[in-house]
Amino acid sequence: MLATYLIGLREGLEATLVVSILIAFLVKSDRRDRLVQVWAGVGLAVALSVFFGWLLSYTSTTLLQKYEQRELFEAVTSILAVAFVTWMIFWMRRAARSIAGELRGKLQDALEVGSIAVAVMAFLAVVREGLETSLIFYSAVQGAADNSSPLYALLIGIASAVVIGYLMYATAVRINLSVFFKWTGVLLILVAAGILKYGVHDFQEANVLPGLNSLAYDISGVLDPSAWYTALLTGMFNITPTASVLESVAWVAYGIPVLILFLRPAGKKAPVVTPEPAPAPAPQQ
């Protein structure tokens, strides 16, 4: 539940910030007549994201009949989810300062084209977050005994993001988004490492990768499978009492390098030095 709440909070806040930037630009530009198109685009993006999440679940539970096929499908979606998470957190770190200006520029261009262009622009600005959320959520809850609790946690996370976004838009409440995205990014990297570990396990279950029974460790005597802290570690980071060698290698090989790269201070651009003009030659006598 904590992992899916974090996914909903992080992705929801990104989408909420995008929508608030678009709305604020229209209000300040005295173009409130285009707010309907923006909400139409946002609504369509949400509907498509929900449909995509349902399609993933329906494919796994209904369309795929063989056990190996389901495991392979879940493995592939896990790898895709890890790729999206990694891209998303690094993209946000790089583009956080310029995203508002880019969105305003795109919306200004869409306003000049017409109402349909405004709806399409709002749809494209939000649908990426929605599709990412559906894919990451589906991959994060694989193997859960009960999918309803993680779903509620995801919805609460999204609702929390909407409340935070509204408070930032309508009141004087401010949060340090750089710090927020940094530390939620760290947690999402650990969640993604767990999703990758689960994907490797599914590949092994599907007989695509070997070594399912070659355990790297067995700490079930220390980490009680029925304890609450075991459920927390398993649900949040997929740290399980037992794991195969390949699963463990995948977790470490992804988690440690990506954390180092993400936490590494961004390099400062070298200052632009303008050469001084050469002195004028002295007049000849």
Side-chain angles (χ1 to χ4, degrees):
M1 290 181 63
L2 285 175
T4 53
Y5 175 81
L6 175 64
I7 292 168
L9 179 64
R10 168 71 184 234
E11 295 282 348
L13 187 56
E14 288 186 20
T16 301
L17 291 176
V18 167
V19 174
S20 63
I21 290 171
L22 299 179
I23 292 175
F25 179 78
L26 291 176
V27 171
K28 291 180 180 179
S29 303
D30 198 22
R31 298 301 302 271
R32 295 175 181 267
D33 57 309
R34 297 302 188 191
L35 288 175
V36 174
Q37 286 79 31
V38 168
W39 286 117
V42 171
L44 183 59
V46 172
L48 180 60
S49 302
V50 172
F51 173 76
F52 180 62
W54 171 85
L55 182 62
L56 289 173
S57 178
Y58 180 76
T59 300
S60 177
T61 58
T62 305
L63 295 183
L64 299 178
Q65 300 296 327
K66 294 183 178 180
Y67 175 77
E68 290 80 6
Q69 292 177 336
R70 293 194 296 270
E71 294 297 317
L72 184 59
F73 178 77
E74 292 177 358
V76 171
T77 55
S78 295
I79 300 303
L80 290 175
V82 171
F84 275 118
V85 169
T86 308
W87 176 84
M88 177 261 294
I89 58 177
F90 280 97
W91 175 84
M92 178 54 70
R93 189 181 71 163
R94 184 184 69 254
R97 295 181 179 179
S98 61
I99 186 173
E102 292 178 1
L103 285 172
R104 295 188 190 103
K106 292 178 180 178
L107 184 56
Q108 182 62 54
D109 294 338
L111 286 170
E112 296 175 358
V113 175
S115 58
I116 295 179
V118 173
V120 171
M121 187 267 164
F123 169 80
L124 294 176
V126 176
V127 72
R128 178 180 62 82
E129 306 291 346
L131 295 179
E132 283 179 4
T133 303
S134 297
L135 180 60
I136 298 169
F137 171 75
Y138 172 80
S139 301
V141 300
Q142 291 178 23
D146 177 22
N147 287 342
S148 59
S149 296
L151 178 60
Y152 294 146
L154 177 77
L155 295 177
I156 294 173
I158 294 174
S160 302
V162 172
V163 171
I164 293 173
Y166 174 78
L167 292 175
M168 293 180 64
Y169 173 80
T171 69
V173 173
R174 293 291 182 269
I175 65 172
N176 191 324
L177 291 178
S178 297
V179 174
F180 173 84
F181 284 125
K182 176 182 178 181
W183 291 112
T184 55
V186 168
L187 291 175
L188 279 177
I189 289 171
L190 297 177
V191 171
I195 293 175
L196 178 62
K197 176 175 174 287
Y198 196 93
V200 171
H201 179 81
D202 282 338
F203 274 127
Q204 292 177 316
E205 291 278 2
N207 295 320
V208 175
L209 292 176
L212 178 62
N213 298 317
S214 300
L215 297 183
Y217 61 85
D218 184 352
I219 56 173
S220 54
V222 178
L223 202 61
D224 182 7
S226 61
W228 65 268
Y229 52 83
T230 304
L232 176 64
L233 291 174
T234 302
M236 192 72 179
F237 309 123
N238 199 22
I239 298 176
T240 53
T242 62
S244 69
V245 173
L246 281 181
E247 290 177 65
S248 303
V249 169
W251 201 103
V252 174
Y254 170 86
I256 293 179
V258 175
L259 276 176
I260 292 174
L261 289 174
F262 182 72
L263 293 175
R264 184 180 60 182
K268 297 182 179 180
K269 295 183 179 179
V272 178
V273 179
T274 304
E276 296 182 2
Q284 297 180 354
Q285 298 295 333

